[in-house]
Amino acid sequence: MKILAIETSCDETSVAVLENDEVLVNLISSQEIHKKFGGVVPELSSRAHLQIVLPLVKSALKKSHIKKEEIDLVAATAGPGLIGALLVGLTFGKSFAYSINKPFFPVNHIEGHIFSGFLMDEKPEYPFLCLVVSGGHTLLLNGESPVKIFQLGSTIDDAAGEAFDKVSKLIGLGYPGGPNIEKQSKLGKDFIDFPIAKLNSKYDFSYSGLKTAVLRYYQDFTSHPENYKEVSINDIASSFQKAAVNALIEKLLLAISEKDFNSISVVGGVAANSLLQSKLKEIGDKKKIKIVIPALEYCGDNAAMIGLRAYQLFSEGLVYDYETNAFPSLHNNTFITKQ
Ligand code: KG4
Ligand code: ZN
């Protein structure tokens, strides 16, 4: 089965072609236009998707040596995401599927991330503990099967990636926050003690206290430089990164101590973080549990994961029609159950 998949939920336009669950081509075009605004501007994002989606589809078909008539199924992200951006990919996908008279699959973006580890040769094994750490979501989940996903916890305020982005902007490291913080952290030391939130619900996350602590520290650092002669911005970045990553690791360790999982998969943009990855490797070695982190091109937003998710759902016997619509929130069109 040949699948054409489209992802346009935020600031990456991505098109992939898959043969069943094998990726033939995965093209990603990142929108540079947002850099000068320090964050994603929704309307500019929609326009940029509109300009690039057709050339990208043509290029993906050409690179995979597949004619459009040979496509068996078309998939596109339907949500959650920026509504204008979503509509571009979704409408394009529906029209394309209709024009070649093939089925269309709307895919939940977060479900795409959750199963992105299955794009790797070494796949997660069910039941797997999944930590989704993206720019918009932080979720801890129990993946029991492709259609049985239980939410154990989520952030009560900022998402992990959002915290990286906001702190980066705050301390003058700009956009994109996560990669910039990681880069500068390598030049600094993590000796500043920033707090990790303690919450009543044991699997939930919170980043607002950490963000405020960094803000206060930075304000004092800039207004009283004489007191901070031994401290650099890189040290602040590095100390923030340590606290942000430890907050995630704490919950992962708690979950595997309370329930038996056959593997752990950490997915989404923040999964690209090398400190997080090294801590996960340590856990894997120490606890003898399989850890699956998607390759870099599958951590951030990509259409390959959307195609794979459509393939999984098709294999489960699901069908959709062309009437499907875009949705902005997580718990629409999803197999994730809140526990
Ligand atoms: O999954 P993703 O590409 O888009 C969403 O669905 O949100 O995640 C983007 C997020 C951004 O917040 C970005 O700052 C963060 O992932 N990110 C990172 C790194 N690379 C991207 N955060 C920490 N370290 C990184 N290396
Ligand atoms: Zn994403």
Side-chain angles (χ1 to χ4, degrees), residues 110 115 123 158 170 175 181 183 243 260 333:
I110 298 302
F115 292 95
K123 300 181 194 316
D158 289 338
L170 191 78
Y175 166 94
I181 295 246
K183 196 166 138 227
D260 280 337
N333 184 36

Side-chain angles (χ1 to χ4, degrees), residues 9 12 109 113 133-136 161-162 164-165 176-179 182 241 268-270 272-274 299-301:
S9 67
E12 255 99 31
H109 180 82
H113 277 301
V133 273
S134 73
E162 191 178 2
F164 271 89
D165 294 337
E182 175 172 355
Q241 180 179 256
V270 184
N273 186 276
S274 58
C299 281
D301 290 345

Side-chain angles (χ1 to χ4, degrees), residues 117 120 264-267 271-272 276-277 280-281 291-295 299:
M120 306 304 291
I264 300 176
S265 191
V266 179
V267 300
L276 178 58
Q277 292 200 359
L280 291 168
K281 191 175 174 311
I291 310 270
V292 181
I293 302 165
C299 281

Side-chain angles (χ1 to χ4, degrees), residues 114-322:
I114 292 170
F115 292 95
S116 57
F118 289 81
L119 292 164
M120 306 304 291
D121 292 338
E122 274 294 321
K123 300 181 194 316
E125 284 161 33
Y126 296 105
F128 70 106
L129 177 67
C130 184
L131 174 67
V132 180
V133 273
S134 73
H137 297 88
T138 301
L139 295 165
L140 196 62
L141 307 141
N142 168 11
E144 291 201 347
S145 81
V147 289
K148 264 199 196 150
I149 313 154
F150 299 101
Q151 182 176 319
L152 306 174
S154 69
T155 180
I156 58 163
D157 40 60
D158 289 338
E162 191 178 2
F164 271 89
D165 294 337
K166 287 180 176 168
V167 165
S168 180
K169 201 170 172 184
L170 191 78
I171 63 175
L173 298 179
Y175 166 94
N180 289 356
I181 295 246
E182 175 172 355
K183 196 166 138 227
Q184 296 311 122
S185 290
K186 294 203 167 106
L187 308 171
K189 293 207 167 59
D190 58 8
F191 55 82
I192 309 161
D193 237 348
F194 289 130
I196 294 178
K198 297 268 173 280
L199 301 170
N200 290 336
S201 43
K202 59 183 178 180
Y203 291 131
D204 281 346
F205 305 85
S206 166
Y207 279 102
S208 70
L210 172 58
K211 206 177 55 187
T212 309
V214 178
L215 170 68
R216 296 257 159 77
Y217 189 95
Y218 181 72
Q219 282 170 337
D220 206 48
F221 169 82
T222 44
S223 49
H224 300 288
E226 67 283 4
N227 297 339
Y228 294 88
K229 288 201 181 100
E230 304 295 313
V231 182
S232 72
I233 290 288
N234 296 336
D235 300 329
I236 301 179
S238 180
S239 304
F240 160 75
Q241 180 179 256
K242 181 179 79 173
V245 166
N246 283 346
L248 300 171
I249 294 293
E250 251 184 24
K251 304 288 161 147
L252 266 187
L253 287 174
L254 181 65
I256 58 171
S257 74
E258 293 194 339
K259 188 176 162 32
D260 280 337
F261 290 98
N262 283 330
S263 58
I264 300 176
S265 191
V266 179
V267 300
V270 184
N273 186 276
S274 58
L275 176 68
L276 178 58
Q277 292 200 359
S278 69
K279 298 227 168 193
L280 291 168
K281 191 175 174 311
E282 269 172 36
I283 293 177
D285 293 343
K286 213 164 144 193
K287 308 267 177 194
K288 305 269 173 283
I289 185 163
K290 184 178 190 178
I291 310 270
V292 181
I293 302 165
L296 206 57
E297 69 171 312
Y298 303 137
C299 281
D301 290 345
N302 68 89
M305 67 182 191
I306 302 304
L308 179 80
R309 185 62 184 147
Y311 177 72
Q312 286 181 332
L313 297 179
F314 179 84
S315 306
E316 293 286 331
L318 274 102
V319 279
Y320 293 93
D321 59 28
Y322 302 126

